[in-house]
């Protein structure tokens, strides 16, 4: 199974952007899904997560501006980013805690990064 990310791109400060991620392949169950980002020169950190039953957690820096949602039937997670700031760049990573089959354990899977550029 792979996580495929979509969206991202260039937007002016104050604008909006949407990134999505889908778990593609054979999946038995998907628990928490989320988005993380890696600012230049820093470690990857939490943006937002959402559990299977819809409980959300947001980084303080994005509360009130970003909204995470998911479609359990399609194993997709979406991040709507409003009022973007230059510090919201650049690379966003999708993550999912999932089980591939009945005989497998829960594992954390990462998608490829998707680039978000915010011009000031």
């Amino acid at each position: 199974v792979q996580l495929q990310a979509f969206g991202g791109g260039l937007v002016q400060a104050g604008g909006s952007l949407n990134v999505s991620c889908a778990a593609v392949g054979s999946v038995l169950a998907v628990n928490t899904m989320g988005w993380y980002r890696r600012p230049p020169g820093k470690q990857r950190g939490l943006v937002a997560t959402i559990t299977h039953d819809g409980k959300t957690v947001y980084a303080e820096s994005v509360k009130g501006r970003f909204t995470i949602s998911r479609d359990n039937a399609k194993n997709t997670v979406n991040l709507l980013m409003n009022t973007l700031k230059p510090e919201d760049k650049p690379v966003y990573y999708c993550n999912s805690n999932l089980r591939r089959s009945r005989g497998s354990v829960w594992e954390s899977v990462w998608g490829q990064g998707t680039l978000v550029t915010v011009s000031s």
Side-chain angles (χ1 to χ4, degrees):
V1 60
Q2 293 182 332
L3 296 184
Q4 294 185 354
F6 306 90
L10 173 64
V11 64
Q12 285 189 330
S16 299
L17 207 58
N18 195 77
V19 289
S20 298
C21 178
V24 179
S26 178
V27 178
L28 176 65
V30 179
N31 192 355
T32 301
M33 303 186 81
W35 287 93
Y36 295 73
R37 66 187 179 191
R38 188 197 303 273
K42 297 184 178 181
Q43 290 188 334
R44 187 162 51 190
L46 170 74
V47 177
T49 61
I50 183 168
T51 63
H52 188 271
D53 57 357
K55 292 185 177 63
T56 58
V57 174
Y58 292 94
E60 284 296 324
S61 60
V62 306
K63 280 183 179 178
R65 299 188 298 124
F66 291 13
T67 302
I68 190 170
S69 60
R70 65 186 286 170
D71 184 331
N72 289 332
K74 298 179 179 179
N75 290 329
T76 59
V77 61
N78 191 73
L79 184 69
L80 175 60
M81 302 179 285
N82 293 321
T83 319
L84 281 160
K85 305 176 181 179
E87 55 264 37
D88 288 322
K89 61 182 183 184
V91 185
Y92 284 69
Y93 297 91
C94 174
N95 176 266
S96 178
N97 194 33
L98 56 83
R99 283 183 67 190
R100 298 174 189 263
S101 64
R102 291 189 184 279
S104 66
V105 298
W106 289 97
E107 58 181 297
S108 178
V109 178
W110 291 92
Q112 83 281 12
T114 185
L115 186 63
V116 172
T117 304
V118 183
S119 62
S120 56

